[in-house]
């Protein structure tokens, strides 16, 4: 293979054929676990964050045989190493290029609205196509090829690899009715099971097609919670069970800095939406099933209807938690976008396509059960839901240019916009809405997101897999 090495004469380049391989013995880390040679012969050594480069190299090998370090120019055991700098060592007239990087970066991939097997009317994706997409996401960068190129200082040389994958809801057919089992089998086989084999954490949340104890259409009545083994409340239970089972798997796998925990009302309401949080690579992730104001409810009986409750205790517990973890860089997600879509606000108000909603049995600061709210009322959506949530989110570290970093789905198209609170202009939420995988105009869509440990989101790039 050829390595282009700069000479001391004006920085020009000449090709050097490298037929041998140089490796090092490193102080405190195993070379094989941190070094990777790309297709052009350059070896990138990615070290744990905070590693001291002074005295890092203690011995040298060429083709597995020990060589005297002083016979290498410059001597690797005494030369000064700097993160990000190309360092070329020569031995027996052969040149070996190395770059030492600090492992402060990681990449997440966001997909949404897979609608597995639901058909073109919902930009649906087949199980086999979604499996291919997942495998492509998992393979990103493994061959040394850049899927995307970041412009963030310090990460321009980074070959993005997938550290964690998120799906932001509407995972398959309505109420998990794939293969008529209601258990989201096709979706899980194409995503969660594939991720387990690869050892890459996969986290998904519910969307309105997966969890919705509200009116579906004007003619459905109480369709969201109809009594029956595969419909309504029982289907909602299947969705939450699939999510929590998947979360438990990754908790047990020991991949998180702090395991997944849930935000609940603390009351005997019955069925909870089970929003959750966890910490991964020194970044706090906040994940809402459908959206943060989803109402808990008691399931209907054979002769009784469901009882809905205001989400206030859940939102209050979220606020308390955020205040206690305000120093942690955070990123947020829910299924509903903040601004994308002409009917965006009616979803925030729990309204169906004719303006109906399920009223809560108790009073609510955040509720939309007050009579007189018009269909898709932006003012009420802002006042009741968006402004209070933005105020909570702003308490956590990790904003970029003063904006909370948020990811959503639902709209089926890429959308990138900032919501500004109507009562506190400093409270801003930068919402990245990811397109549906089966969108025929933007097939196999995703966001590749660059994170920095302890700081949060650094760059977001839309791409296709």
């Amino acid at each position: 293979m050829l390595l282009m090495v700069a000479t001391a004469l004006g920085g020009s380049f000449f090709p050097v054929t490298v037929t041998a391989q140089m490796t090092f013995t490193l102080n405190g880390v195993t070379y094989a676990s941190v070094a990777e040679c790309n297709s052009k012969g350059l070896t990138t050594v990615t070290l744990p964050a905070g590693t001291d480069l002074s005295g890092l190299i203690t011995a040298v090998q060429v083709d597995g045989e020990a060589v005297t370090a002083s016979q290498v120019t410059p001597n690797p055991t005494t030369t000064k190493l700097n993160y990000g700098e190309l360092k070329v060592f020569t031995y027996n007239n052969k040149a070996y290029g190395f770059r030492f990087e600090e492992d402060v970066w990681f990449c997440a991939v966001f997909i949404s609205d897979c609608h597995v097997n639901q058909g073109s009317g919902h930009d649906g994706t087949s199980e086999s196509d979604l499996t291919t997409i997942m495998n492509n996401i998992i393979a990103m960068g493994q061959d040394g090829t850049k899927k995307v190129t970041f412009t963030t200082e310090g990460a321009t040389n980074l070959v993005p690899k997938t550290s964690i994958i998120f799906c932001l809801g509407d995972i398959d057919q309505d109420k998990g009715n794939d293969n008529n089992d209601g258990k989201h089998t096709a979706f899980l086989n194409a995503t969660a099971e594939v991720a387990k084999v690869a050892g890459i954490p996969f986290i998904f949340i519910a969307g309105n097609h997966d969890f919705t104890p509200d009116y579906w259409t004007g003619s459905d009545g109480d369709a969201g919670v109809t009594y029956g083994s595969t419909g309504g409340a029982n289907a909602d239970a299947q969705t939450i069970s699939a999510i929590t089972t998947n979360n438990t798997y990754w908790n047990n796998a020991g991949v998180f800095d702090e395991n997944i925990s849930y935000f609940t009302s603390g009351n005997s309401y019955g069925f909870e939406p089970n929003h959750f949080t966890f910490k991964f690579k020194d970044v706090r992730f906040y994940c809402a099933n459908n959206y943060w104001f989803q109402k808990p409810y008691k399931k209907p009986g054979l002769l009784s209807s469901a009882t809905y409750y205001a989400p206030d205790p859940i939102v209050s517990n979220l606020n308390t938690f955020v205040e206690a973890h305000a120093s942690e860089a955070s990123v947020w997600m829910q299924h509903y976008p903040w601004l994308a879509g002409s009917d965006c606000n009616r979803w925030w108000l729990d309204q169906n396509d004719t303006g109906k909603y399920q009223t809560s049995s108790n009073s609510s600061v955040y509720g939309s059960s007050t009579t007189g709210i018009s269909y898709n009322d932006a003012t009420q959506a802002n006042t009741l839901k968006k402004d209070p949530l933005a105020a909570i989110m702003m308490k956590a570290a990790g904003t970029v240019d003063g904006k909370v970093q948020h990811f959503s789905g639902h709209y089926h198209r890429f959308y990138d916009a900032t919501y500004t609170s109507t009562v506190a202009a400093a409270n801003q939420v930068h919402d990245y809405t990811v397109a549906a995988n089966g969108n025929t105009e933007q097939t196999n869509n995703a966001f590749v997101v660059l994170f920095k440990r302890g700081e949060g989101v650094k760059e977001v790039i839309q791409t296709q897999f």
Side-chain angles (χ1 to χ4, degrees):
M1 51 192 156
L2 293 179
L3 172 65
M4 302 302 289
V5 181
T7 71
L9 301 176
S12 59
F13 288 84
F14 63 92
V16 177
T17 302
V18 179
T19 57
Q21 182 181 16
M22 179 178 287
T23 58
F24 301 128
T25 301
L26 303 177
N27 183 22
V29 293
T30 303
Y31 181 83
S33 67
V34 298
E36 178 182 6
C37 183
N38 70 17
S39 60
K40 294 182 179 180
L42 176 67
T43 298
T44 299
V45 181
T46 305
L47 298 159
T51 300
D52 186 359
L53 295 183
S54 176
L56 175 69
I57 300 174
T58 60
V60 185
Q61 304 85 34
V62 175
D63 279 352
E65 298 294 329
V67 301
T68 303
S70 60
Q71 294 178 335
V72 179
T73 304
N75 186 333
T77 63
T78 58
T79 190
K80 182 180 180 181
L81 304 175
N82 296 305
Y83 281 120
E85 178 184 11
L86 174 66
K87 185 67 66 175
V88 178
F89 300 102
T90 59
Y91 176 75
N92 280 350
N93 296 319
K94 294 183 175 68
Y96 305 85
F98 291 87
R99 178 175 280 114
F100 294 85
E101 302 284 0
E102 191 175 16
D103 187 21
V104 296
W105 309 104
F106 69 95
C107 291
V109 176
F110 286 81
I111 61 174
S112 188
D113 296 84
C114 303
H115 289 281
V116 177
N117 296 337
Q118 194 158 0
S120 59
H122 288 86
D123 293 321
T125 308
S126 69
E127 180 179 349
S128 61
D129 284 349
L130 185 55
T131 301
T132 298
I133 292 168
M134 280 292 294
N135 281 321
N136 289 342
I137 292 171
I138 289 166
M140 181 176 70
Q142 296 298 326
D143 63 354
T145 302
K146 287 187 177 182
K147 176 68 175 178
V148 298
T149 298
F150 296 118
T151 61
T152 300
E153 184 178 0
T156 56
N157 295 318
L158 185 72
V159 176
K161 296 179 182 178
T162 304
S163 294
I164 190 168
I165 306 168
F166 293 93
C167 180
L168 302 182
D170 282 3
I171 59 180
D172 50 26
Q173 299 184 59
D174 291 349
K175 300 294 184 179
N177 191 27
D178 57 353
N179 302 324
N180 296 315
D181 67 1
K183 298 180 180 180
H184 309 288
T185 303
F187 170 80
L188 293 171
N189 285 343
T191 56
E193 297 306 315
V194 174
K196 289 176 185 178
V197 172
I200 294 179
F202 172 72
I203 301 298
F204 66 99
I205 60 176
N208 58 291
H209 283 263
D210 315 311
F211 180 97
T212 175
D214 306 305
Y215 286 105
W216 278 80
T217 71
S219 60
D220 279 48
D222 195 15
V225 289
T226 48
Y227 191 83
S229 61
T230 60
N234 287 294
D236 287 347
Q238 292 281 22
T239 294
I240 296 301
S241 175
I243 291 169
T244 55
T245 299
N246 181 70
N247 288 350
T248 298
Y249 175 89
W250 292 111
N251 276 351
N252 292 337
V255 296
F256 302 129
D257 301 348
E258 179 186 302
N259 274 352
I260 293 170
S261 59
Y262 297 90
F263 297 104
T264 61
S265 67
N267 297 311
S268 56
Y269 286 163
F271 199 85
E272 301 267 356
N274 278 26
H275 312 312
F276 57 94
T277 182
F278 63 95
K279 197 173 182 180
F280 180 69
K281 296 185 181 294
D282 206 22
V283 175
R284 169 72 58 185
F285 290 84
Y286 290 96
C287 310
N289 284 313
N290 217 356
Y291 82 136
W292 287 102
F293 299 95
Q294 193 73 54
K295 295 186 293 291
Y297 67 95
K298 282 186 178 179
K299 298 179 183 180
L302 183 61
L303 301 176
S304 62
S305 59
T307 304
Y308 296 90
Y309 300 91
D312 297 43
I314 298 174
V315 178
S316 177
N317 288 337
L318 170 67
N319 180 59
T320 299
F321 185 93
V322 172
E323 289 180 341
H325 295 80
S327 64
E328 298 174 349
S330 67
V331 62
W332 296 72
M333 66 197 74
Q334 66 175 35
H335 181 64
Y336 292 153
W338 286 70
L339 294 168
S342 59
D343 62 348
C344 168
N345 294 301
R346 65 113 164 166
W347 293 101
W348 283 77
L349 294 170
D350 297 326
Q351 295 174 335
N352 73 345
D353 54 359
T354 64
K356 288 185 177 181
Y357 45 75
Q358 296 285 10
T359 60
S360 56
S361 61
N362 51 349
S363 60
S364 174
V365 174
Y366 311 108
S368 55
S369 57
T370 305
T371 59
I373 297 178
S374 60
Y375 174 77
N376 201 31
D377 189 326
T379 298
Q380 291 292 345
N382 295 344
T383 301
L384 293 171
K385 306 290 179 69
K386 296 181 183 179
D387 290 346
L389 182 57
I392 293 172
M393 296 162 71
M394 283 295 298
K395 296 178 181 180
T399 59
V400 178
D401 296 329
K403 301 173 184 177
V404 173
Q405 301 296 287
H406 187 277
F407 294 86
S408 62
H410 187 66
Y411 183 49
H412 288 211
R413 301 292 185 269
F414 284 118
Y415 201 82
D416 182 348
T418 296
Y419 176 80
T420 300
S421 170
T422 61
V423 294
N427 294 348
Q428 295 186 319
V429 180
H430 191 161
D431 186 31
Y432 299 92
T433 302
V434 63
N437 299 120
N439 177 348
T440 55
E441 299 173 6
Q442 303 170 320
T443 307
N444 302 344
N445 305 289
F447 282 126
V448 176
V449 183
L450 175 68
F451 286 85
K452 191 172 185 180
R453 290 175 182 263
E455 295 185 17
V457 175
K458 290 298 177 182
E459 194 167 345
V460 180
I461 298 179
Q462 69 181 55
T463 189
Q464 298 178 327
F465 286 93

